[in-house]
Amino acid sequence: MYDTPFLDLPPLASAAGTVRLPGSKSISNRVLLLAALSEGTTEVHDLLASDDTRVMLDALRQIGCGVEADGAGGAVRITGLGGRAPAPEADIFLGNSGTSTRTLTAALAVLATLHGGRYEVRGVPRMHERPIGDLVDALRQLGCRVEYLNTDGYPPLALSPGTLQLYTPIRIRGDVSSQFLTGLLQALPLAAAAQDAVIEVEGPLISQPYIDITLRLLARFGIDVQREGWERFTIPAGSRYRSPGSIHVEADASSASYFIGLGAITADPAGIRIEGVGADSIQGDIRFTEAAARMGAQIASGPNWLHVQRGAWPLKAIDLDCNHIPDAAMTLAVLALYADGPSTLRNIASWRVKETDRIAAMAAEARRLGAAVEEGADWLRVYPLEAPGWRAAAVHTYDDHRVAMCFSLAAFNPARVPVRILDPKCVAKTFPDYFETLFALARAPVDDIPVLCIDGPTASGKGTVAAQVARRLGYHFLDSGAMYRLAALAAVRAGHTIAPEHEAAIAALARSLPVRFDHGRILLGGEDVSDAIRTEEAGMNASRVSTLPAVRAALVALQLSFRRLPGLVADGRDMGTVIFPGAKLKVFLTASAACRADRRHKQLISKGISANIDALRADLEARDARDSNRAVAPLRPAPDALLLDSSELTVEHAVSQVLQWWRGRQPFSS
């Protein structure tokens, strides 16, 4: 996951390949709560790993459920309450998870009434701006005691014992959020021991497909809800939650919309294959495929898979009632930028009360890109953008995962301008690895992938600075100084003598070294060899390897291969002069010999290695002379490099200066 203030997407040309989607957020959190209310233990497979499911799992632990996980990607086992009293009190934090907040509030309100518990439910500031008054009013009709702790109609809430009453139907509005009805449907089986529990919906019910998901999952856990249209729901007397034993979570159909959209716009005829969800999905957002097909996408499907290719180009404009796909419809707003006329999305009032006001957010950010946009209380109209009209813009995401993922598709614009996504980590709510997944599919001309080079003499601090700059930008990192040492280590381990007679074999090894630089560690085939390549023997072997021309050529090719999306920070001695002469920014980081000797001395002493500072300084000065006068790639600044003397700078100051120079060369407006 990219935990950076912003992520710059270079202009992307095409995309192709296969994507396996994470589990559905809607299904995951419903299943977790139903398992928590059931008798027995439920083994949940393919559960979404995200912020929303994390806060729900934490809450279930707090109220007394057993929660066991097999580790990353493994099954999660929930031992439910099954009629037992939950923990008598808990202060529950649910972040920005609307599904968790609405459904768990309803369940805890009923549990508090039945068993005498006291609970507080709260979230992040935005969660406290999302209305919950209609659900609270319905729970009060049931006899539950629910109090607002700050502002009437909004979380945080206090839940305490009330007096249960099921004599009349519970009435709730259907035109604000379907999650309110889902919360009641999941909570009322707890109260329907002796008599039916009835819910009547007032007005039109929005997002009906999400209620269908709820009803299907309730049936899996033993609750057979009787439905009369979408206006009246009856939970029969004697209803009791029972674990199905094991349940699999479908991949997220809302997340599929970004890759369906990607398939609709990519010029690569291979298209995009999406695995984990198919046309037979129980999720309403699978109908996004119908909208994409209307815009011109060619879509094939089978059990648990979709395949999407570009058809009509430009895409066809649409005028669509989006009540049935409220989350996925956001992707249509970005696809509309590639259409042949204005597209209108209607019946989307629920966008106003999501993680942010999504109508306002999508309109504002599309305008930043240069588009003309009109909006109303429950509709949005987006006009397409011709190539000259696109602007490189910093897209604000409002801590809303769907805004971030939707606007990533703008990087495929015909003007070939980059797009900056602010606060990219917000995708952790439902799809923590979204951008990594996108970059694995996307293609860009190599010259469009940005490179920042930091060269300099030994002990100037270039490696430390470059690694931190790469981390701040979310870019790949190349420590070129380690490459010859790694090649030598691999050669020795393979049984090769570092000599001309083994040059071809060592070059073949060097061309495909499985090397990765990961937060200060150097990994070779997954093994941490950071210390192994820093020994005196490793240094001597590296010097021998560097005299073999075929190995040098192989390592140049390997270094060039590090130029991958979304960008690269490379440090060394000839990155800006030989390897990446066209880099967007080149920095030559230096420091006085005295300063560098002092740094190296402290480094060696900290490792328990005795050293003489005068000898270190003499060695550095001699090495500088050799490096500056060598025949191949002598150490010197590129003509367009910016010089940075770090003698009097902390690492943080040096990093900040490099980042300031980098930002100054970007085209983004905000």
Side-chain angles (χ1 to χ4, degrees):
M1 184 182 73
Y2 286 93
D3 186 13
T4 56
F6 60 84
L7 179 63
D8 291 343
L9 311 183
L12 303 175
S14 64
T18 299
V19 57
R20 177 79 186 182
L21 295 173
S24 161
K25 180 192 75 167
S26 298
I27 295 176
S28 290
N29 268 343
R30 283 169 172 78
V31 164
L32 289 178
L33 182 55
L34 295 178
L37 301 177
S38 296
E39 297 174 0
T41 297
T42 305
E43 189 165 273
V44 184
H45 298 270
D46 303 319
L47 182 73
L48 171 67
S50 73
D51 288 349
D52 274 24
T53 52
R54 177 182 53 79
V55 295
M56 178 63 97
L57 287 167
D58 288 345
L60 299 185
R61 293 184 182 96
Q62 283 184 263
I63 65 174
C65 297
V67 178
E68 299 178 14
D70 285 343
V76 176
R77 284 174 290 279
I78 309 294
T79 301
L81 296 173
R84 294 186 292 110
E89 59 183 39
D91 188 343
I92 295 173
F93 176 77
L94 293 171
N96 197 18
S97 177
T99 306
S100 303
T101 299
R102 277 78 177 263
T103 59
L104 195 56
T105 289
L108 287 175
V110 173
L111 288 169
T113 297
L114 293 173
H115 299 289
R118 297 179 184 275
Y119 310 98
E120 291 189 4
V121 178
R122 65 187 73 249
V124 299
R126 172 56 188 168
M127 194 67 241
H128 297 168
E129 297 172 352
R130 299 176 68 179
I132 201 168
D134 291 297
L135 176 61
V136 170
D137 290 346
L139 292 170
R140 287 173 173 172
Q141 294 173 52
L142 185 59
C144 299
R145 186 175 179 185
V146 185
E147 299 172 88
Y148 299 110
L149 294 178
N150 288 341
T151 304
D152 284 1
Y154 301 87
L157 305 170
L159 315 173
S160 55
T163 302
L164 193 67
Q165 48 192 32
L166 287 172
Y167 311 113
T168 58
I170 308 303
R171 303 184 67 80
I172 188 166
R173 285 176 59 187
D175 61 350
V176 178
S177 173
S178 65
Q179 291 175 356
F180 299 160
L181 177 55
T182 283
L184 287 178
L185 287 168
Q186 293 187 153
L188 281 175
L190 300 170
Q195 66 184 100
D196 291 353
V198 179
I199 305 169
E200 292 185 349
V201 177
E202 298 178 332
L205 176 62
I206 64 172
S207 307
Q208 293 174 4
Y210 285 101
I211 300 303
D212 189 52
I213 292 174
T214 302
L215 297 176
R216 289 175 183 242
L217 292 174
L218 282 166
R220 292 288 305 275
F221 284 84
I223 308 299
D224 183 20
V225 179
Q226 299 164 12
R227 176 170 71 85
E228 299 173 40
W230 296 102
E231 295 80 35
R232 185 179 174 93
F233 300 82
T234 301
I235 293 93
S239 293
R240 181 166 57 92
Y241 278 117
R242 296 183 301 277
S243 169
S246 176
I247 191 166
H248 288 259
V249 176
E250 271 188 17
D252 190 69
S254 301
S255 295
S257 73
Y258 315 118
F259 298 98
I260 295 169
L262 182 58
I265 63 177
T266 178
D268 193 314
I272 303 295
R273 181 181 171 90
I274 301 163
E275 296 184 345
V277 66
D280 58 351
S281 168
I282 69 170
Q283 299 168 74
D285 272 352
I286 195 61
R287 292 186 63 191
F288 180 85
T289 56
E290 299 170 11
R294 282 183 57 180
M295 295 190 80
Q298 295 181 346
I299 303 175
S301 66
N304 227 32
W305 62 266
L306 300 166
H307 186 260
V308 188
Q309 296 168 286
R310 181 198 280 190
W313 194 256
L315 296 175
K316 299 174 184 177
I318 56 170
D319 189 321
L320 185 68
D321 183 323
C322 298
N323 181 53
H324 60 299
I325 51 170
D327 286 341
M330 295 174 68
T331 309
L332 296 175
V334 179
L335 292 184
L337 299 172
Y338 301 98
D340 59 5
S343 294
T344 304
L345 312 180
R346 303 185 187 276
N347 205 1
I348 53 173
S350 64
W351 285 22
R352 298 282 189 191
V353 294
K354 295 288 188 175
E355 283 82 342
T356 188
D357 180 339
R358 286 176 168 170
I359 292 180
M362 296 301 289
E365 302 316 306
R367 290 183 186 118
R368 281 187 217 281
L369 293 169
V373 184
E374 299 169 5
E375 62 178 287
D378 66 346
W379 59 273
L380 185 72
R381 182 173 296 119
V382 181
Y383 290 79
L385 268 172
E386 298 295 331
W390 282 86
R391 295 199 298 259
V395 173
H396 294 251
T397 53
Y398 309 89
D399 195 26
D400 189 329
H401 55 132
R402 301 210 183 279
V403 174
M405 291 186 278
C406 284
F407 278 102
S408 68
L409 298 181
F412 291 86
N413 64 81
R416 295 182 62 199
V417 296
V419 175
R420 172 171 288 175
I421 303 294
L422 299 175
D423 189 27
K425 66 180 179 298
C426 67
V427 301
K429 182 177 176 67
T430 52
F431 201 155
D433 297 329
Y434 171 76
F435 288 107
E436 291 87 342
T437 303
L438 175 65
F439 293 142
L441 299 171
R443 304 290 182 268
V446 68
D447 289 342
D448 285 345
I449 300 175
V451 177
L452 191 164
C453 295
I454 302 180
D455 288 317
T458 299
S460 61
K462 60 184 182 295
T464 302
V465 171
Q468 292 201 25
V469 169
R471 195 170 303 128
R472 302 276 188 93
L473 294 174
Y475 283 1
H476 298 285
F477 171 57
L478 168 60
D479 176 359
S480 67
M483 303 304 280
Y484 287 96
R485 290 172 177 265
L486 287 164
L489 179 65
V492 170
R493 288 182 171 183
H496 299 307
T497 302
I498 301 177
E501 57 266 27
H502 286 171
E503 181 176 357
I506 298 172
L509 271 177
R511 272 191 290 272
S512 57
L513 279 178
V515 58
R516 184 161 59 90
F517 301 99
D518 181 32
H519 296 88
R521 299 182 306 153
I522 301 173
L523 305 177
L524 185 62
E527 177 191 353
D528 187 345
V529 295
S530 306
D531 293 331
I533 65 169
R534 298 302 179 192
T535 65
E536 184 176 352
E537 180 185 3
M540 293 173 62
N541 287 336
S543 296
R544 296 189 186 101
V545 159
S546 68
T547 65
L548 304 175
V551 177
R552 292 185 66 88
L555 289 176
V556 167
L558 180 62
Q559 290 173 90
L560 290 171
S561 74
F562 274 78
R563 191 173 190 172
R564 301 190 297 269
L565 292 170
L568 173 67
V569 178
D571 95 82
R573 300 182 184 183
D574 59 0
M575 293 295 98
T577 54
V578 175
I579 308 300
F580 300 108
K584 194 164 190 176
L585 174 65
K586 302 169 191 173
V587 175
F588 193 83
L589 185 67
T590 188
S592 67
C595 178
R596 289 185 286 136
D598 182 59
R599 290 173 182 170
R600 179 59 58 85
H601 184 258
K602 289 176 179 176
Q603 182 184 51
L604 293 172
I605 294 300
S606 70
K607 294 181 178 181
I609 302 172
S610 61
N612 179 281
I613 194 167
D614 292 332
L616 288 173
R617 177 172 177 174
D619 180 64
L620 287 171
E621 289 175 337
R623 182 175 298 186
D624 288 348
R626 288 196 304 272
D627 289 344
S628 299
N629 292 295
R630 64 188 181 189
V632 179
L635 175 64
R636 63 187 59 170
D640 54 347
L642 298 178
L643 301 181
L644 181 59
D645 190 327
S646 68
S647 300
E648 304 297 327
L649 299 180
T650 64
V651 170
E652 179 57 34
H653 284 135
V655 169
S656 296
Q657 179 60 73
V658 174
L659 289 172
Q660 181 180 331
W661 285 335
W662 181 254
R663 285 191 291 267
R665 297 198 175 189
Q666 309 310 308
F668 302 106
S669 61
S670 59

